[in-house]
Amino acid sequence: MKAALWEIETFDYHTAGEPFRIVPALPFLIEGETAIERRENAKAGDANNIRKLLVNEPRGHADMYGGFVIPPNDSGAHFGALFWHREGFSTVCGHGTMALGTWAVRSGLVRAPEDGETDVVIDIPSGRVTARVRMVSGKVSDVAFHNVPSYVVDRGVEVKTADFGRLRVDLAWSGALYASLPAASAGLEVTPSNLAKVVAAGHQVAAGLANHAAAHHPSDTRLEGVFGTIFHEPMNHAGAGLAQRNVSVFADGQVDRSPSGSGTAARVALLTDSGELAESEVLEHYSMIDSHFSARVVDNVSGPEGGLVVEVSGRSFPMGEGKFTLDADDELGLGFVLR
């Protein structure tokens, strides 16, 4: 009998309903000096095959998300991470960063006090981010994702779509490029009953922006391209600040169950720029399933790589631990995706 080709240990978490499958160690080293170099090298070979193994059915599903823990760029971070989904490797992942911070503290990889906050610093392809984990009586209470600087790229960009007419979107960078538009402008509502139409609209918007000048990163071609389309709508809110519901469609039709960590940072950048959200105010951000993040600006960085440092707060929980294998005789190999 042939031995299994791989045995991959995983720790499965969810952040506000969005899955994140953590791989703390691979059976080989992904070459590169930095996270962005390792991302480029991971796109081919065994790292990409393991991504497919863990995303694809029957071990995963069409909307699966996860990440590899990798060495940090330097001693300033605790570790690095490569984020992946069904289409490949993303440059940022807020909900994944929140899951990784929670996992690092719960596992003892990063020591934390019984009460108080601990910063888990992580190198990712788009920069260095922090998961600020808050402990209460020895348990993780919540976690705040401090993203790379976010900023507005362009506004009112017209996109022609086959099924939803001419739409206008606003573009913002938050470790990846997001296109935002009111759901109502496409004749949609952010509800599960509209899921198929939302996915179709998100795919058509991203496709329509593929060759737009604003989709090109100004300094690094490895970071360019529209990653996600965010459809948003207002919510009634009695307190200070602002409340919105949104859904992010990314990776050619994948749907974020959470309010989207990096997508929320992009929304804060746009809302702050338009004056709808003061820098001292909080955005209460809800997902299609009514899970929730709170977000606010915590810093304003000047310079060519500057922008607003946005803190996105939520909760992340473990769901299980596993060991995934690929038997050498398994005719389905790395698996399949039906949608």
Side-chain angles (χ1 to χ4, degrees):
M1 180 177 179
K2 295 179 182 178
L5 295 178
W6 290 308
E7 288 187 348
I8 308 298
E9 182 183 33
T10 67
F11 295 85
D12 279 37
Y13 275 66
H14 82 85
T15 305
E18 179 71 358
F20 194 76
R21 180 165 285 168
I22 298 169
V23 180
L26 288 167
F28 49 82
L29 180 67
I30 301 174
E31 295 295 326
E33 295 297 321
T34 62
I36 194 167
E37 290 178 5
R38 294 180 195 274
R39 175 179 179 258
E40 293 303 302
N41 291 329
K43 290 179 180 180
D46 284 344
N48 196 43
N49 286 333
I50 290 176
R51 175 192 66 81
K52 293 177 182 178
L53 182 80
L54 298 177
V55 167
N56 290 351
E57 296 180 52
R59 300 168 187 84
H61 53 80
D63 292 282
M64 193 66 197
Y65 220 122
F68 300 142
V69 176
I70 59 172
N73 295 354
D74 56 51
S75 60
H78 290 99
F79 54 87
L82 294 183
F83 304 118
W84 39 258
H85 45 73
R86 79 180 195 199
E87 290 293 319
F89 293 87
S90 58
T91 57
V92 67
C93 179
H95 89 275
T97 299
M98 296 159 82
L100 284 166
T102 304
W103 164 78
V105 167
R106 287 179 61 99
S107 68
L109 179 65
V110 176
R111 297 185 64 181
E114 290 286 301
D115 293 280
E117 295 179 338
T118 298
D119 284 354
V120 180
V121 183
I122 307 170
D123 284 325
I124 66 172
S126 58
R128 179 164 286 175
V129 297
T130 299
R132 179 162 292 170
V133 182
R134 186 162 68 97
M135 304 291 291
V136 176
S137 301
K139 295 179 63 176
V140 174
S141 172
D142 52 73
V143 58
F145 160 56
H146 285 208
N147 195 20
V148 300
S150 302
Y151 54 87
V152 176
V153 174
D154 205 348
R155 284 191 176 275
V157 177
E158 186 176 89
V159 184
K160 297 178 183 179
T161 66
D163 300 317
F164 303 90
R166 295 176 182 267
L167 302 174
R168 290 192 176 275
V169 304
D170 297 327
L171 296 168
W173 171 262
S174 56
L177 188 61
Y178 285 91
S180 289
L181 69 159
S185 70
L188 300 171
E189 294 181 342
V190 183
T191 61
S193 62
N194 273 304
L195 182 61
K197 290 181 179 178
V198 166
V199 170
H203 173 76
Q204 289 177 31
V205 168
L209 291 168
N211 296 316
H212 194 278
H216 298 293
H217 193 273
S219 61
D220 194 334
T221 57
R222 296 172 295 183
L223 298 172
E224 65 182 24
V226 175
F227 176 64
T229 304
I230 297 173
F231 298 92
H232 56 86
E233 62 188 21
M235 295 181 65
N236 292 328
H237 183 57
L242 187 66
Q244 291 189 344
R245 179 176 284 109
N246 91 109
V247 60
S248 175
V249 182
F250 63 96
D252 197 24
Q254 202 161 328
V255 178
D256 202 326
R257 273 69 175 157
S258 81
S260 177
S262 55
T264 296
R267 292 295 304 140
V268 168
L270 287 164
L271 292 166
T272 302
D273 176 74
S274 66
E276 296 169 80
L277 186 74
E279 285 198 21
S280 60
E281 290 182 329
V282 173
L283 171 66
E284 304 294 351
H285 218 204
Y286 292 83
S287 73
M288 181 178 274
I289 62 168
D290 285 330
S291 59
H292 172 249
F293 289 156
S294 295
R296 64 190 180 102
V297 175
V298 294
D299 199 5
N300 195 332
V301 180
S302 60
E305 300 298 325
L308 301 178
V309 177
V310 179
E311 176 188 85
V312 182
S313 301
R315 305 183 75 189
S316 189
F317 296 95
M319 299 188 295
E321 302 176 12
K323 185 178 288 184
F324 290 89
T325 63
L326 174 59
D327 191 288
D329 293 324
D330 186 347
E331 66 271 13
L332 289 180
L334 299 176
F336 56 91
V337 177
L338 287 179
R339 179 174 66 80

mmCIF file of all heavy atoms in Angstrom, residues 16 30 43 45-46 92 102-103 110 133 160 163 172 184 199 209 213 218 229 245 290 304-305 327 329 337-338:
data_model
loop_
_atom_site.group_PDB
_atom_site.id
_atom_site.type_symbol
_atom_site.label_atom_id
_atom_site.label_comp_id
_atom_site.label_asym_id
_atom_site.label_seq_id
_atom_site.Cartn_x
_atom_site.Cartn_y
_atom_site.Cartn_z
ATOM 1 N N ALA A 16 -16.362 36.104 12.487
ATOM 2 C CA ALA A 16 -17.665 36.647 12.071
ATOM 3 C C ALA A 16 -18.313 35.796 10.975
ATOM 4 O O ALA A 16 -18.982 36.315 10.088
ATOM 5 C CB ALA A 16 -17.528 38.098 11.622
ATOM 6 N N ILE A 30 8.924 27.541 1.668
ATOM 7 C CA ILE A 30 8.649 28.347 0.478
ATOM 8 C C ILE A 30 9.764 29.372 0.362
ATOM 9 O O ILE A 30 9.993 30.162 1.271
ATOM 10 C CB ILE A 30 7.280 29.042 0.579
ATOM 11 C CG1 ILE A 30 6.168 28.003 0.738
ATOM 12 C CG2 ILE A 30 7.034 29.894 -0.675
ATOM 13 C CD1 ILE A 30 4.802 28.615 0.991
ATOM 14 N N LYS A 43 2.930 30.405 -5.879
ATOM 15 C CA LYS A 43 1.903 30.285 -6.908
ATOM 16 C C LYS A 43 2.048 29.041 -7.773
ATOM 17 O O LYS A 43 1.119 28.680 -8.504
ATOM 18 C CB LYS A 43 1.913 31.538 -7.802
ATOM 19 C CG LYS A 43 1.422 32.791 -7.101
ATOM 20 C CD LYS A 43 1.480 33.986 -8.036
ATOM 21 C CE LYS A 43 0.986 35.259 -7.376
ATOM 22 N NZ LYS A 43 1.056 36.426 -8.293
ATOM 23 N N GLY A 45 3.949 24.882 -7.955
ATOM 24 C CA GLY A 45 4.600 23.820 -7.202
ATOM 25 C C GLY A 45 3.755 23.306 -6.053
ATOM 26 O O GLY A 45 2.526 23.446 -6.017
ATOM 27 N N ASP A 46 4.421 22.699 -5.074
ATOM 28 C CA ASP A 46 3.718 22.001 -3.999
ATOM 29 C C ASP A 46 2.907 22.926 -3.106
ATOM 30 O O ASP A 46 1.858 22.530 -2.596
ATOM 31 C CB ASP A 46 4.724 21.219 -3.150
ATOM 32 C CG ASP A 46 5.190 19.941 -3.840
ATOM 33 O OD1 ASP A 46 4.524 19.514 -4.816
ATOM 34 O OD2 ASP A 46 6.191 19.361 -3.407
ATOM 35 N N VAL A 92 -3.722 40.443 1.226
ATOM 36 C CA VAL A 92 -4.125 40.865 2.566
ATOM 37 C C VAL A 92 -5.347 40.046 2.952
ATOM 38 O O VAL A 92 -6.070 39.541 2.075
ATOM 39 C CB VAL A 92 -4.457 42.378 2.591
ATOM 40 C CG1 VAL A 92 -5.696 42.675 1.779
ATOM 41 C CG2 VAL A 92 -4.600 42.918 4.010
ATOM 42 N N THR A 102 -5.686 35.418 17.231
ATOM 43 C CA THR A 102 -6.375 34.638 18.261
ATOM 44 C C THR A 102 -5.713 33.286 18.438
ATOM 45 O O THR A 102 -5.474 32.831 19.573
ATOM 46 C CB THR A 102 -7.852 34.473 17.882
ATOM 47 O OG1 THR A 102 -8.438 35.761 17.674
ATOM 48 C CG2 THR A 102 -8.619 33.744 18.955
ATOM 49 N N TRP A 103 -5.408 32.628 17.325
ATOM 50 C CA TRP A 103 -4.744 31.314 17.380
ATOM 51 C C TRP A 103 -3.372 31.408 18.038
ATOM 52 O O TRP A 103 -3.007 30.560 18.858
ATOM 53 C CB TRP A 103 -4.613 30.751 15.963
ATOM 54 C CG TRP A 103 -3.630 29.625 15.836
ATOM 55 C CD1 TRP A 103 -3.811 28.326 16.191
ATOM 56 C CD2 TRP A 103 -2.287 29.723 15.340
ATOM 57 N NE1 TRP A 103 -2.679 27.595 15.943
ATOM 58 C CE2 TRP A 103 -1.722 28.423 15.417
ATOM 59 C CE3 TRP A 103 -1.519 30.765 14.823
ATOM 60 C CZ2 TRP A 103 -0.421 28.162 15.007
ATOM 61 C CZ3 TRP A 103 -0.225 30.509 14.416
ATOM 62 C CH2 TRP A 103 0.316 29.221 14.499
ATOM 63 N N VAL A 110 2.378 33.100 21.076
ATOM 64 C CA VAL A 110 2.648 34.449 21.582
ATOM 65 C C VAL A 110 2.047 34.529 22.982
ATOM 66 O O VAL A 110 0.850 34.299 23.165
ATOM 67 C CB VAL A 110 2.034 35.526 20.661
ATOM 68 C CG1 VAL A 110 2.245 36.924 21.262
ATOM 69 C CG2 VAL A 110 2.658 35.452 19.267
ATOM 70 N N VAL A 133 -4.866 41.450 20.477
ATOM 71 C CA VAL A 133 -5.733 40.484 21.136
ATOM 72 C C VAL A 133 -5.991 40.938 22.572
ATOM 73 O O VAL A 133 -5.056 41.175 23.335
ATOM 74 C CB VAL A 133 -5.097 39.084 21.126
ATOM 75 C CG1 VAL A 133 -6.023 38.058 21.776
ATOM 76 C CG2 VAL A 133 -4.763 38.655 19.695
ATOM 77 N N LYS A 160 -19.016 49.127 -17.379
ATOM 78 C CA LYS A 160 -20.092 48.553 -18.173
ATOM 79 C C LYS A 160 -20.252 47.081 -17.793
ATOM 80 O O LYS A 160 -19.289 46.322 -17.789
ATOM 81 C CB LYS A 160 -19.778 48.668 -19.663
ATOM 82 C CG LYS A 160 -19.673 50.100 -20.173
ATOM 83 C CD LYS A 160 -19.319 50.125 -21.652
ATOM 84 C CE LYS A 160 -19.147 51.552 -22.161
ATOM 85 N NZ LYS A 160 -18.768 51.577 -23.597
ATOM 86 N N ASP A 163 -25.320 42.615 -17.348
ATOM 87 C CA ASP A 163 -26.645 42.402 -16.770
ATOM 88 C C ASP A 163 -27.130 43.524 -15.858
ATOM 89 O O ASP A 163 -28.306 43.541 -15.484
ATOM 90 C CB ASP A 163 -26.653 41.092 -15.983
ATOM 91 C CG ASP A 163 -26.319 39.887 -16.842
ATOM 92 O OD1 ASP A 163 -26.842 39.811 -17.972
ATOM 93 O OD2 ASP A 163 -25.522 39.033 -16.401
ATOM 94 N N ALA A 172 -10.667 51.935 -3.578
ATOM 95 C CA ALA A 172 -9.829 52.234 -2.416
ATOM 96 C C ALA A 172 -8.865 51.083 -2.183
ATOM 97 O O ALA A 172 -9.200 49.905 -2.386
ATOM 98 C CB ALA A 172 -10.675 52.467 -1.168
ATOM 99 N N ALA A 184 -28.030 49.325 -4.153
ATOM 100 C CA ALA A 184 -29.237 49.780 -4.854
ATOM 101 C C ALA A 184 -28.942 50.259 -6.264
ATOM 102 O O ALA A 184 -29.806 50.176 -7.150
ATOM 103 C CB ALA A 184 -29.906 50.897 -4.053
ATOM 104 N N VAL A 199 -23.261 37.862 -6.609
ATOM 105 C CA VAL A 199 -22.056 37.221 -7.141
ATOM 106 C C VAL A 199 -21.867 37.582 -8.609
ATOM 107 O O VAL A 199 -20.762 37.923 -9.048
ATOM 108 C CB VAL A 199 -22.125 35.695 -6.958
ATOM 109 C CG1 VAL A 199 -21.005 35.001 -7.731
ATOM 110 C CG2 VAL A 199 -22.042 35.331 -5.482
ATOM 111 N N LEU A 209 -13.241 46.152 -14.740
ATOM 112 C CA LEU A 209 -12.144 46.998 -14.280
ATOM 113 C C LEU A 209 -10.766 46.395 -14.538
ATOM 114 O O LEU A 209 -9.751 47.009 -14.201
ATOM 115 C CB LEU A 209 -12.294 47.260 -12.775
ATOM 116 C CG LEU A 209 -13.464 48.135 -12.346
ATOM 117 C CD1 LEU A 209 -13.643 48.063 -10.840
ATOM 118 C CD2 LEU A 209 -13.247 49.581 -12.785
ATOM 119 N N ALA A 213 -6.861 51.841 -15.729
ATOM 120 C CA ALA A 213 -5.593 52.392 -15.239
ATOM 121 C C ALA A 213 -5.533 52.403 -13.722
ATOM 122 O O ALA A 213 -4.464 52.202 -13.125
ATOM 123 C CB ALA A 213 -5.407 53.810 -15.777
ATOM 124 N N PRO A 218 0.736 51.642 -8.180
ATOM 125 C CA PRO A 218 1.719 52.629 -8.640
ATOM 126 C C PRO A 218 3.173 52.226 -8.477
ATOM 127 O O PRO A 218 4.037 52.776 -9.169
ATOM 128 C CB PRO A 218 1.400 53.856 -7.772
ATOM 129 C CG PRO A 218 0.724 53.306 -6.563
ATOM 130 C CD PRO A 218 -0.056 52.129 -7.052
ATOM 131 N N THR A 229 -15.205 43.323 -4.945
ATOM 132 C CA THR A 229 -16.270 44.296 -5.173
ATOM 133 C C THR A 229 -17.165 44.306 -3.947
ATOM 134 O O THR A 229 -17.657 43.256 -3.530
ATOM 135 C CB THR A 229 -17.092 43.940 -6.417
ATOM 136 O OG1 THR A 229 -16.229 43.829 -7.549
ATOM 137 C CG2 THR A 229 -18.146 44.998 -6.688
ATOM 138 N N ARG A 245 -24.481 47.904 6.024
ATOM 139 C CA ARG A 245 -24.381 46.467 5.733
ATOM 140 C C ARG A 245 -23.674 46.340 4.390
ATOM 141 O O ARG A 245 -23.873 47.151 3.495
ATOM 142 C CB ARG A 245 -25.760 45.818 5.692
ATOM 143 C CG ARG A 245 -25.708 44.318 5.364
ATOM 144 C CD ARG A 245 -27.085 43.674 5.415
ATOM 145 N NE ARG A 245 -27.510 43.469 6.794
ATOM 146 C CZ ARG A 245 -28.471 44.145 7.399
ATOM 147 N NH1 ARG A 245 -29.109 45.111 6.737
ATOM 148 N NH2 ARG A 245 -28.804 43.889 8.640
ATOM 149 N N ASP A 290 -25.450 39.289 8.992
ATOM 150 C CA ASP A 290 -25.593 40.140 10.168
ATOM 151 C C ASP A 290 -24.501 39.951 11.212
ATOM 152 O O ASP A 290 -24.661 40.378 12.360
ATOM 153 C CB ASP A 290 -26.977 39.978 10.826
ATOM 154 C CG ASP A 290 -28.067 40.683 10.038
ATOM 155 O OD1 ASP A 290 -27.768 41.698 9.385
ATOM 156 O OD2 ASP A 290 -29.216 40.208 10.059
ATOM 157 N N PRO A 304 4.536 58.735 0.510
ATOM 158 C CA PRO A 304 4.036 58.050 -0.690
ATOM 159 C C PRO A 304 3.277 56.762 -0.383
ATOM 160 O O PRO A 304 2.404 56.359 -1.144
ATOM 161 C CB PRO A 304 5.310 57.773 -1.498
ATOM 162 C CG PRO A 304 6.426 57.840 -0.500
ATOM 163 C CD PRO A 304 6.007 58.866 0.495
ATOM 164 N N GLU A 305 3.604 56.092 0.712
ATOM 165 C CA GLU A 305 2.897 54.866 1.081
ATOM 166 C C GLU A 305 1.925 55.131 2.226
ATOM 167 O O GLU A 305 1.561 54.226 2.964
ATOM 168 C CB GLU A 305 3.908 53.782 1.484
ATOM 169 C CG GLU A 305 4.893 53.402 0.395
ATOM 170 C CD GLU A 305 4.207 52.808 -0.831
ATOM 171 O OE1 GLU A 305 3.197 52.109 -0.652
ATOM 172 O OE2 GLU A 305 4.694 53.046 -1.949
ATOM 173 N N ASP A 327 -3.931 10.563 -0.374
ATOM 174 C CA ASP A 327 -3.463 9.213 -0.629
ATOM 175 C C ASP A 327 -2.966 9.110 -2.071
ATOM 176 O O ASP A 327 -3.592 9.642 -2.995
ATOM 177 C CB ASP A 327 -4.603 8.217 -0.380
ATOM 178 C CG ASP A 327 -4.116 6.775 -0.357
ATOM 179 O OD1 ASP A 327 -3.765 6.251 -1.429
ATOM 180 O OD2 ASP A 327 -4.092 6.193 0.737
ATOM 181 N N ASP A 329 -3.161 6.808 -4.057
ATOM 182 C CA ASP A 329 -4.083 6.072 -4.918
ATOM 183 C C ASP A 329 -5.412 6.794 -5.137
ATOM 184 O O ASP A 329 -6.283 6.267 -5.829
ATOM 185 C CB ASP A 329 -4.368 4.692 -4.308
ATOM 186 C CG ASP A 329 -3.140 3.798 -4.313
ATOM 187 O OD1 ASP A 329 -2.359 3.879 -5.281
ATOM 188 O OD2 ASP A 329 -2.946 3.036 -3.347
ATOM 189 N N VAL A 337 -13.895 21.767 -7.555
ATOM 190 C CA VAL A 337 -14.828 22.811 -7.135
ATOM 191 C C VAL A 337 -15.972 22.833 -8.129
ATOM 192 O O VAL A 337 -15.753 22.957 -9.334
ATOM 193 C CB VAL A 337 -14.140 24.203 -7.083
ATOM 194 C CG1 VAL A 337 -15.175 25.272 -6.709
ATOM 195 C CG2 VAL A 337 -13.014 24.210 -6.069
ATOM 196 N N LEU A 338 -17.193 22.712 -7.641
ATOM 197 C CA LEU A 338 -18.349 22.675 -8.534
ATOM 198 C C LEU A 338 -18.819 24.061 -8.924
ATOM 199 O O LEU A 338 -19.390 24.250 -9.993
ATOM 200 C CB LEU A 338 -19.508 21.910 -7.874
ATOM 201 C CG LEU A 338 -19.349 20.386 -7.792
ATOM 202 C CD1 LEU A 338 -20.560 19.771 -7.104
ATOM 203 C CD2 LEU A 338 -19.172 19.773 -9.173
#
